[in-house]
Amino acid sequence: MNRLKITLASATLIFGAGMSSAQSQAEINYREFTNSEGRSIKAVLVDKSATKAVFLLRNGKRASVDVSTLDKDAQEFVRGWSKAKAFFLQRCKGLSVGELLTLRGYEAIPIKFEGNSMLIDAKINGKPAKFIVDTGAGSSLFHTGAAKRTGCPLGEFTEKVYGVSGEAPAAWSEVAQLSIGESVLKNRRILATDMTKDRHKGVKLRDDGLFGADFLSDLDAVISYRERRIYLRPDKSDIDGSGEVVDGEQSFRIFKTKDKKVYRGHIVKKTATVVTLKGTNGKVLQLPVSRLIAADANYVLQWSQEGAVFLQHCRSLSIQELLELRRYQHFQYKRRGNHIFVDGKLNGNSVTWMIDTGADNSLLHLKAAKDNNVEVGPMDKKVYGIGGSAPAAGCMVQSVSMGNARFNKRKLLATDLDRFKRGLDYVGLFGADFLRECNAVITYREQRIFLKQVLKAR
């Protein structure tokens, strides 16, 4: 009798009595494992050491097997297996991406879409403001009117800023405090320019500036189109951060009360009216649910054991691993300064795109469009941005793809993105239209973009 059979005969229970119920058994995804002699069993890998693999069998018992007795495929599977991932799939898969992030110390900031632009509320020196979340802006940018309205001194207009439409004079503004949720940036210098240049008279700006890649990177931002949220790490801002760190992530959630108090911790237990939190200092605190703001009260009401299991067993998982488990495809992007670039295809040709959440619609570089067999129309359109307006042509693109995300027969605009003759090695801006359609998630800490395309009904 081979070693695998002998070991199976001496199997014992795993995961407790609950795992033996018909419902729990039905939820388990059994896999076929084969040993070096060709004998197979159907089981679930539930634990491992350097030399042993522990399997859960269909009869609810477990078997400990020497990894060396398994065939090559089974050994590779065991080596790549993670107990935290297994717990997540079995016990935490109902948690949303946003819930997973807020359990790790991120704060959810609501996004308001205007067209495809993402607007977030902020405060500049205590005064309300709105910013467009713009990964394509290497540095954050103020509208001069907003700088004056919020009491930010302006220097001489000796600087220049550049955009898809050209260039514009700019001045440094001194910002005493910029806050978004609990994230606070103090004593920062931000360039300011007239963002109404070449716009029709009387047009009112919908925003006070661009929240660019410099601050997004500083705050380890995660942008999620599906959840209409941007997630920021307040402990990365100019406040005193505290909390237990696990693989670079904070293990607390932010709770706010109606009287503007803030508590950092995680839920230990709850009743219908009271929530018990364990704070970052280890102290236990009880709060009436009625004292919490609506969003946090709703979180408490919906809190379940899934969140507790995640904190106990799965919080070491990276954001990449969590999104992989949710079947997102992902790409390591390239950082050039604060801009981010990803390889993809245009009409079947391998190209590089710049990821730009601030571009409502994707935009092609005129020469790159022609070089990649895009049907380019007359230059009778206009694009608008920093520097005013610039001529553009309507185009019909046969296909744009990034991994298995594919967009067929799309109408885009093309303009000269290299009007300053610096040399351009990317074909254009992969904008918010495509990103939104792919439920994109962009992470600054892990420098990855995640896509899961939603196929439109025909």
Side-chain angles (χ1 to χ4, degrees), residues 141 157-162 167-171 191-193 386 420 422:
L141 189 66
F157 282 80
T158 55
E159 308 292 330
K160 286 185 178 181
V161 290
Y162 301 89
E167 63 181 35
L191 282 171
T193 190
I386 302 302
F420 300 109
R422 296 175 176 177

Side-chain angles (χ1 to χ4, degrees), residues 17 50 99 107 113-114 133-134 200 226-227 238 245 271 273 277 295 315 322 333 359 369 402 418 443:
E99 288 170 324
E107 181 183 14
F113 278 103
E114 290 195 9
V133 178
D134 191 354
H200 296 296
R226 181 175 183 179
E227 300 193 58
D238 300 331
V245 178
T271 67
T273 58
L277 302 178
R315 66 186 184 183
L322 292 171
Y333 59 69
M402 193 172 290
D418 194 27
T443 68

Side-chain angles (χ1 to χ4, degrees), residues 3 13 43 45 67 94 130 167 172 192 231 262 264 301 333 350 426 435 452:
R3 184 181 299 182
L13 291 173
L45 181 60
V67 176
K130 290 185 183 295
E167 63 181 35
W172 287 107
Y231 299 89
V262 177
R264 291 170 170 81
L301 292 173
Y333 59 69
S350 296
Y426 59 95
L435 292 168
K452 185 195 284 187

Side-chain angles (χ1 to χ4, degrees), residues 164-428:
V164 297
S165 304
E167 63 181 35
W172 287 107
S173 61
E174 304 294 333
V175 183
Q177 183 168 302
L178 167 61
S179 58
I180 296 177
E182 292 302 306
S183 296
V184 178
L185 301 169
K186 297 180 179 179
N187 301 319
R188 301 298 178 105
R189 298 177 77 218
I190 303 177
L191 282 171
T193 190
D194 180 5
M195 298 176 72
T196 62
K197 183 182 178 184
D198 287 358
R199 303 293 176 95
H200 296 296
K201 288 185 177 180
V203 171
K204 186 178 179 180
L205 282 178
R206 60 188 177 180
D207 60 277
D208 295 297
L210 308 178
F211 195 73
D214 50 349
F215 292 159
L216 292 169
S217 181
D218 287 349
L219 298 173
D220 278 356
V222 178
I223 300 167
S224 176
Y225 275 85
R226 181 175 183 179
E227 300 193 58
R228 294 171 173 257
R229 295 285 189 276
I230 177 173
Y231 299 89
L232 304 177
R233 290 271 301 275
D235 58 298
K236 289 285 190 174
S237 69
D238 300 331
I239 63 170
D240 293 329
S242 60
E244 181 187 357
V245 178
V246 180
D247 288 348
E249 300 287 356
Q250 299 291 104
S251 61
F252 62 79
R253 188 186 188 279
I254 295 170
F255 295 85
K256 299 180 184 179
T257 63
K258 295 174 182 175
D259 56 353
K260 301 188 183 304
K261 291 185 178 179
V262 177
Y263 299 92
R264 291 170 170 81
H266 57 263
I267 297 176
V268 177
K269 62 181 179 179
K270 69 171 184 177
T271 67
T273 58
V274 176
V275 60
T276 303
L277 302 178
K278 184 177 180 181
T280 56
N281 57 4
K283 294 183 179 180
V284 175
L285 169 72
Q286 289 189 324
L287 282 175
V289 177
S290 59
R291 277 190 60 197
L292 298 172
I293 63 171
D296 290 339
N298 186 58
Y299 171 81
V300 170
L301 292 173
Q302 294 184 3
W303 178 84
S304 68
Q305 200 60 32
E306 284 182 323
V309 170
F310 176 84
L311 284 174
Q312 183 178 357
H313 298 287
C314 309
R315 66 186 184 183
S316 63
L317 293 177
S318 66
I319 295 170
Q320 176 184 334
E321 289 172 318
L322 292 171
L323 290 171
E324 283 177 337
L325 291 169
R326 294 195 171 280
R327 300 185 184 279
Y328 277 80
Q329 62 169 329
H330 59 91
F331 310 87
Q332 181 88 42
Y333 59 69
K334 305 165 189 172
R335 285 281 294 268
R336 301 180 196 166
N338 283 325
H339 292 114
I340 57 182
F341 299 85
V342 178
D343 292 333
K345 292 192 174 182
L346 174 61
N347 285 350
N349 299 323
S350 296
V351 297
T352 299
W353 294 89
M354 186 168 88
I355 303 298
D356 190 354
T357 62
D360 268 25
N361 296 288
S362 298
L363 183 68
L364 291 171
H365 174 42
L366 189 61
K367 181 178 183 303
K370 294 175 179 177
D371 289 345
N372 286 277
N373 303 313
V374 174
E375 301 172 36
V376 180
M379 300 287 288
D380 57 358
K381 315 286 185 188
K382 283 188 176 182
V383 291
Y384 295 88
I386 302 302
S389 63
C395 300
M396 174 56 74
V397 178
Q398 293 303 308
S399 69
V400 170
S401 60
M402 193 172 290
N404 57 28
R406 186 179 178 90
F407 312 89
N408 295 320
K409 295 186 177 178
R410 298 299 177 97
K411 292 180 180 179
L412 301 180
L413 290 178
T415 191
D416 183 6
L417 293 175
D418 194 27
R419 54 180 51 86
F420 300 109
K421 308 302 179 187
R422 296 175 176 177
L424 209 68
D425 61 352
Y426 59 95
V427 294

Side-chain angles (χ1 to χ4, degrees), residues 97-119:
V97 173
E99 288 170 324
L100 297 171
L101 290 168
T102 55
L103 284 168
R104 305 176 77 118
Y106 285 82
E107 181 183 14
I109 305 297
I111 290 168
K112 179 183 178 183
F113 278 103
E114 290 195 9
N116 285 321
S117 292
M118 298 186 291
L119 274 74

